Amino acid sequence: MQIGMVGLGKMGGNMAERLRRGGHEVVGYDHHREASDVGSLKELVDRLETPRAVWVMVPAGAPTQQTVDELGKLLSEGDVVIDGGNSHYVDDQKHAAELAEKGIRFVDCGVSGGVWGLQNGYALMCGGDDSVVQHMMPIFETLKPEGEDGFVHAGAVGAGHFAKMVHNGIEYGMMQSFAEGWELLEASDIVTDVKGCFSSWRTGTVIRSWLLDLLVRALDSDEHLEELRGYAQDSGEGRWTVQAAVDHAVPLPVITAALYARFASRQEDPPAMKVVAALRNQFGGHAIASAEGSVGMGADSPGADVTPPKVR
């Protein structure tokens, strides 16, 4: 099958290569000219036979919107646009409606697999009309892992990225649990082989997983993670998952806490903790650290001289 691939970064480039290895003809376009088969989106569209299929793998938000807008001007009735990036499911519904006015069909597809997808395949979560999804199945079959699992037609337009959003929210919680367990083991006085503990859990335990395998792999190269700074970005999907939970009145305490932990990781001197330190000093006379790094009781530390307010 012939397909255009827009966006040839770490994910898109490997996906294009997996499709080529599977016997498909891929015409790739990227802003970085050296990675492209063509020099523009127009040239990509001109190279494809009708009905055309174009897979978009660019960052969510404005880049995706701009790409969809331009494709809407270049493609024809009956062509297909697949958004495989990490778009918000609400944007999918907007894009599908815009393209439908011109007779262009739309599928949203959440993709998971990272840099390992070329070798292992990609888990795909699709949303869209059944006839369009079935039309694109040769592409999906090549991209997915071998076997029965790894692909789902999750529902109507938006369902694929909604499913991927929840997938990433679960990933946040799992990663945070491993991180907190690692920190506690490292802080222990009696556990001397933290890496060995995680490695031993890969067989026969209920927490064995690919994430656990990847953590052990990281510890193999840096046992105490001394070469890393404790800073973690978040994709938009973690935030969208929490927002969707609010919209649907579904409690997500673990995923929400994991998202907030990432926010905290970016603060060398968390402002909120200044308030906590000040209050501990005020009510208990606890030592506080100055901005210069010195530790003391504080110039106005009240000790036991402050009379607590009466409780009414």
Side-chain angles (χ1 to χ4, degrees), residues 159-187:
H161 279 143
F162 195 100
K164 177 58 162 50
M165 176 187 74
V166 174
H167 165 281
N168 280 25
I170 293 170
E171 178 185 294
Y172 272 51
M174 292 175 67
M175 292 172 68
Q176 187 65 25
S177 294
F178 282 132
E180 292 175 6
W182 174 83
E183 183 175 1
L184 181 56
L185 287 170
E186 284 280 334

Side-chain angles (χ1 to χ4, degrees), residues 2-3 25 27 44-53 79:
Q2 187 188 52
I3 190 167
E25 180 187 349
V27 181
L44 178 142
V45 170
D46 290 343
R47 286 269 298 271
L48 299 176
E49 299 174 1
T50 57
R52 307 174 185 89
D79 292 345

Side-chain angles (χ1 to χ4, degrees), residues 81-84 92 106-110 125-128 156-162:
V81 172
I82 303 170
D83 179 6
D92 294 326
F106 180 86
V107 173
D108 61 287
C109 188
M125 295 144 268
C126 289
V157 167
H161 279 143
F162 195 100

Side-chain angles (χ1 to χ4, degrees), residues 136-270:
M136 297 307 304
M137 278 308 298
I139 296 295
F140 299 144
E141 287 287 353
T142 300
L143 287 174
K144 68 180 284 295
E146 295 182 6
E148 296 182 4
D149 297 325
F151 173 86
V152 62
H153 181 189
V157 167
H161 279 143
F162 195 100
K164 177 58 162 50
M165 176 187 74
V166 174
H167 165 281
N168 280 25
I170 293 170
E171 178 185 294
Y172 272 51
M174 292 175 67
M175 292 172 68
Q176 187 65 25
S177 294
F178 282 132
E180 292 175 6
W182 174 83
E183 183 175 1
L184 181 56
L185 287 170
E186 284 280 334
S188 170
D189 294 329
I190 59 175
V191 176
T192 58
D193 188 359
V194 174
K195 184 184 75 172
C197 290
F198 279 96
S199 184
S200 73
W201 295 342
R202 290 190 293 171
T203 304
T205 74
V206 296
I207 64 169
R208 61 188 184 273
S209 64
W210 189 33
L211 279 177
L212 180 59
D213 292 340
L214 292 175
L215 175 55
V216 172
R217 186 173 182 268
L219 296 176
D220 282 339
S221 60
D222 183 7
E223 184 170 356
H224 301 289
L225 301 181
E226 296 169 327
E227 300 176 7
L228 298 179
R229 177 187 166 204
Y231 178 101
Q233 269 290 2
D234 69 286
S235 66
E237 292 184 310
R239 304 185 188 203
W240 298 336
T241 304
V242 173
Q243 183 58 58
V246 173
D247 294 341
H248 292 80
V250 174
L252 298 185
V254 172
I255 294 173
T256 302
L259 175 64
Y260 286 176
R262 296 199 183 190
F263 294 163
S265 77
R266 301 168 205 167
Q267 301 174 337
E268 294 183 5
D269 185 15

Side-chain angles (χ1 to χ4, degrees), residues 58-70 87 91 94-95 98:
V58 301
T64 295
Q65 182 67 62
Q66 292 167 4
T67 303
V68 170
D69 287 345
E70 190 168 353
S87 293
D91 291 339
K94 174 175 175 286
H95 296 157
E98 292 171 347

